[in-house]
Each structure stands twice: as C-alpha cells, then as structure tokens.
Amino acid sequence: MAAGIFLLLDDIAMLADDVAVASKVATQKTAAILGDDLAVNAQKATGFDQSRELAVIWAITKGSLKNKAIILPIAFVLTAIAPSLITLILILGALFLLYEGVEKIEEYLFYKKHEEKNEELLHSTKDTILEIEEQKIKSAILTDFILSIEIVVIALSSVATQPFTVQASSTVIVSLIATFGVYGFVAMIVRMDNVGFYLIEKGHEKSGSFLIDAMPKLIKTLALVGTFAMILVGGGILAHKVEFFHYYFIESVPAIVNELLIGLVMGAVVLLVVKVVKR
C-alpha cells in the first residue's frame, strides 16, 4: 500500500513537472499577444475618476475570466474532435492581428488622429458617467474576448504533442496568467500617478514627478511594442502554418525579419480588402 502511494505521488510529480514545462513554452509563445493585450487594456482602463479606476479594472477582469470560461471548453472539444479547425482559427486569428497592427501603423503615418483624451468622461454629469463607464468596460471585454481566442489557440498549439491532461492544465494556467497578470499590471500602471502624488506629498518631488510623467509615456510605449508584437505573431503563424509562405523566405536574413515582412504585407492586403468591402 505504501509503495502504491509513493508511485502515485511520483506520477503526480511527473505530471506537475510536465505541466510546468508546457506552461512555460505556452507562455513564451503567447507573450507577444499578452503584451498587446496589456497595451490595449491599459489604454481602455485610463481616463476614469481615480475612485473608479480599480473598480473598472476589476469589472474587466471578471469579464475576461468569463471569456476564458467560454473559450477554453470549446477549444478543448475542437482539439479532440476537429484539430484541423484549430489551425484554421489560428490562421484567421493571425490575419485579424495583422489587420489590427497594420491599421494602427496606417493611422499613425497617414492620419492625424488625435489622442483620446476621455473628454466625455471629464465633462460628464453623475447621470451619464456610469453609462459611459459601462460602455468602455463592454468594449474592453470584447477586445479581450478576441485576444483570448488567439491566446488559448496558440497556447494549445504550442503543446499539441503533449497528453491531453498536460494540454488542458497548461492552457488553463496560461489563461489565468493572461487574466490576472495582465490586469494586475494594468492596475499598477493606472495607479502610478497616485503613487507619484503620494511621494510628492511626502517631500519626494523628483521621484513623484517622474512617476506621474512616466505613466502616459509607458502606455504609449506599450502600444507601440504591442503593435509590432501583433505583426510578428501574425506573420510567424502564417510562416509556420501556411506552406505557401515558405517559398518567400529570404535565406540571408533572420527568420524574425521574414515573419515581419510577411506580417506587414499580409496585414496591408487584409486592410485593403476590408476598406474595399466597406466602400
């Protein structure tokens, strides 16, 4: 009986080790999308009254958890009965990421799009503030849903050769990291100015002013990094999942450059198609 218990504990330890390794691989594969998720939601969670910032972030976090609860079972079922659909979803998600990334670049280069200043929040009355807040929360949750699909599918694809138990466990772990890690960091970012004001009150004006000035710059930097991360991720997916793109690899340059080029070209094509359809 004692030997059986030790064997069970050994199996559990081996499974935990496999899950840890698989979770690390899956997290690395989804890191770029997590970065974009962080950038997008940091922008959507700012502009509220300071007393409402954490409440808004918590509402988005709960919405993100519901998104994962919907997406994960569907992804597991498709993996078991129709794995080819996972590849198709992955490719479609890559095209969406490329469209989003190239559209942001186009707006930056060719349109003088003013930065969102949340003026409607600044000039709102008590009767309309909650309605505006709810709309922004719904928008953030919808964005999270789209990015969550890609995160879950990429995480599953990165551990596709593992047993189902390891696949499910590692994907759930990555999903939880994607929710609590991203929104925990968003909460830290949006409270940077509060920490800065606190430091100024305590006489540390230089440190406090640095944090206050750094907050909008950090959000802009995350947005820039997130944009190119989307293009690299989307280009990488197409490069590895679509045989057609293998013929266009330039052997004299690193793979990451090829993936960036594929991402930019395909993103521009998808953007053009969307514009034509809209017209």
Side-chain angles (χ1 to χ4, degrees), residues 22 27 54 56 63 66 70 123 126 147 195 200 219-220 248:
T27 303
L54 293 182
V56 167
K66 290 179 182 178
I70 294 170
H123 300 292
K126 291 182 179 179
L147 291 173
V195 176
I200 290 175
I219 292 176
K220 287 182 180 179
Y248 293 92

Side-chain angles (χ1 to χ4, degrees), residues 27-40:
T27 303
Q28 290 173 341
K29 294 289 185 181
T30 58
I33 298 180
L34 291 178
D36 182 64
D37 198 7
L38 174 61
V40 169

Side-chain angles (χ1 to χ4, degrees), residues 7-19:
L7 285 173
L8 177 61
L9 291 174
D10 184 59
D11 290 340
I12 293 173
M14 289 180 64
L15 176 61
D17 185 59
D18 290 341
V19 170

Side-chain angles (χ1 to χ4, degrees), residues 46 50 185 187-202 204-220:
T46 55
Q50 290 186 353
F185 199 59
M188 291 173 60
I189 291 173
V190 300
R191 303 303 281 184
M192 277 178 63
D193 53 350
N194 296 78
V195 176
F197 289 125
Y198 174 80
L199 290 174
I200 290 175
E201 288 179 2
K202 295 298 181 181
H204 304 285
E205 293 186 7
K206 188 174 181 180
S207 300
S209 298
F210 173 78
L211 289 178
I212 294 170
D213 294 337
M215 177 185 160
K217 294 177 182 178
L218 178 58
I219 292 176
K220 287 182 180 179

Side-chain angles (χ1 to χ4, degrees), residues 15 37 49 64 81 84 104-105 141 194 220 253 261 266 275:
L15 176 61
D37 198 7
D49 184 86
S64 178
I81 65 174
S84 58
K104 289 179 182 179
I105 293 175
I141 292 174
N194 296 78
K220 287 182 180 179
V253 301
L261 291 173
M266 289 305 300
K275 285 181 176 292

Side-chain angles (χ1 to χ4, degrees), residues 15-84:
L15 176 61
D17 185 59
D18 290 341
V19 170
V21 173
S23 300
K24 181 180 178 181
V25 172
T27 303
Q28 290 173 341
K29 294 289 185 181
T30 58
I33 298 180
L34 291 178
D36 182 64
D37 198 7
L38 174 61
V40 169
N41 287 292
Q43 289 177 310
K44 290 184 178 293
T46 55
F48 297 97
D49 184 86
Q50 290 186 353
S51 63
R52 295 293 303 160
E53 285 177 341
L54 293 182
V56 167
I57 293 172
W58 176 237
I60 298 173
T61 303
K62 290 189 291 185
S64 178
L65 287 172
K66 290 179 182 178
N67 288 340
K68 304 298 191 302
I70 294 170
I71 295 167
L72 283 168
I74 296 174
F76 293 149
V77 171
L78 288 178
T79 301
I81 65 174
S84 58

